[in-house]
Amino acid sequence: KHQKIIAKKEAKQKWDDRHWVEKSLAEMTERDWRIFKEDYNISCKGGRIPNPMRNWKESGLLDKEILDVIEQVGYKEPTPIQRQAIPIGLQNRDIIGVAETGSGKTAAFLLPLLKWITSLPKIERFDDYDQGPYAIILAPTRELAQQIEEETIKFAKHLNLKTVAIIGGISREEQGFKLRQGCEIVIATPGRLIDVLENRYLVLAQCTYVVMDEADRMIDMGFEPDVQKILEYLPVSNQKPDTEDAEEVEKMLQNYTSKKKYRQTVMFTATMPPAVERLARSYLRRPAVVYIGSVGKPTERTEQIVYMVSSAEKRKKLVQILEQGIDPPIIIFVNQKKGADVLAKSLEKMGYNACTLHGGKGQEQREFALASLKGGTKDILVATDVAGRGIDIKDVSLVINYDMAKSIEDYTHRIGRTGRAGKTGVAITFVTPEQDSAVLYDLKQTILASPVSSCPPELANHPDAQNKPGTVVQKKRKDETIFLQ
Ligand code: ADP
Ligand code: MG
């Protein structure tokens, strides 16, 4: 009899120890949620953060209307950032999302926005177009803004919502015309949006949802004052209280189904430098902070290879690499617009199919270059850092830093173009010690931190890679004599 009890106990234990996959939502314990978050590399900071979603349907958070659209768009499972950020976003809570590019951030901020807009009564929803959009999404570059627009339209077209992109390179008249027809969502680069606001092509009188995408990049590009100026155009009547109330679901959702919903501010970034924290402190209220994976570090799947070369050797080395016949698409990064053009030309001469993407190109040319690489009519993209962030070209097999990036953050973003969506990738970097001494230390650390990469001894032992620049005062050699003239 005793044994029977033990057997029963064991069976019960086994039942309780099931992995969360085998459990229903109601059976999920605190521990299961912890394991769930570990399984998806999700970690959070901030009070009262809701549980992530195990799948689209189960959360009960998204309406059928939106679930149908998700199905039509073809997203079977939410990505990790979507799993955690969407339940938070649906509580009207402010968010700082730290996740690398390619992690599905767009839908993570878009779905809560769409849920809110579609929950407005129809009359309210289509009324007051002259009061401006419900949401603005800010992105650092035109390419990125367009990518967000594409992703937004995928969802918005099924819901009969309109979006307008306010970006450089498109005529003001055309943008003004589109804006006058009304839209719910504006996607913009900060400089151009300021221009449109100052010239009164656009008001933000009913804008209650603000997204800052790739915030670190916007700051790097000097957009901090522009972003601040834009936020000054928003109504203040619906600002959240700067107290713990901003963490309380009931309080935040009080006016959710009306236009009086509290302003929600959502920020996404790959790194958290001080300037980004400053921006967050000034404009977000009690944000939930969501980190995905090992953020700021290059993806673990990318093998990083470094060659120490002189400037004169780069060309030859590049040809050697390309001659190995690596599958396209390949992205080659250089630091100068001119260098990009020159390199692409000589690649073309050698019979490679190359195009360029950099800030000196017209809008049409840039779009054409991206489309050519995506569509496979070109194999090699020679780009400056404009293309380094957020551009989603699937299956880039190789990234070559023909010129090493000027900062480790840019390096990280560049090599993040490969090794996406569960695939392995390779990033090859040419380092010229005289020119790149300022980043050698960081580069060495980054490569040492990558389980699939090995640091060449020339880099590991290089004097400039031993200490972070500026942290060690160079001692004068004792026997050195200084002659004063
Ligand atoms: P990020 O903004 O983090 O760089 P995106 O939002 O641009 O990433 O998404 C990257 C790519 O992944 C896009 O092509 C997008 O359509 C796709 N994607 C996003 N979420 C999902 C999902 N849940 N399932 C499948 N594909 C997705
Ligand atoms: Mg993005």
Side-chain angles (χ1 to χ4, degrees), residues 300-341:
E300 309 227 310
R301 296 178 299 272
T302 300
E303 184 190 358
Q304 302 167 58
I305 299 169
V306 169
Y307 294 117
M308 292 277 215
V309 292
S310 69
S311 303
E313 290 166 334
K314 285 183 179 181
R315 187 68 61 95
K316 207 172 110 206
K317 191 80 202 162
L318 177 65
V319 172
Q320 274 174 14
I321 293 166
L322 294 177
E323 276 172 354
Q324 293 167 16
I326 295 147
D327 285 337
I330 295 170
I331 302 184
I332 303 177
F333 283 103
V334 296
N335 289 346
Q336 307 286 334
K337 293 174 199 173
K338 188 134 182 285
D341 289 331

Side-chain angles (χ1 to χ4, degrees), residues 101-102 105-106 109 144 147-148 213-214 390:
T101 37
K105 280 170 291 186
T106 316
F109 59 71
L144 222 40
Q147 213 166 282
I148 297 169
D213 199 12
E214 314 260 357

Side-chain angles (χ1 to χ4, degrees), residues 56 73-79 81-82 99-109 144 147-148 151 154 213-214 390-392 394 417 420:
W56 291 118
V73 171
Y75 291 177
K76 301 227 156 38
E77 291 283 330
T79 66
I81 184 75
Q82 291 164 1
E100 48 193 331
T101 37
S103 54
K105 280 170 291 186
T106 316
F109 59 71
L144 222 40
Q147 213 166 282
I148 297 169
E151 186 79 359
K154 267 192 214 168
D213 199 12
E214 314 260 357
I391 298 301
D392 181 42
K394 290 203 170 63
R417 302 307 93 219
R420 284 151 71 98

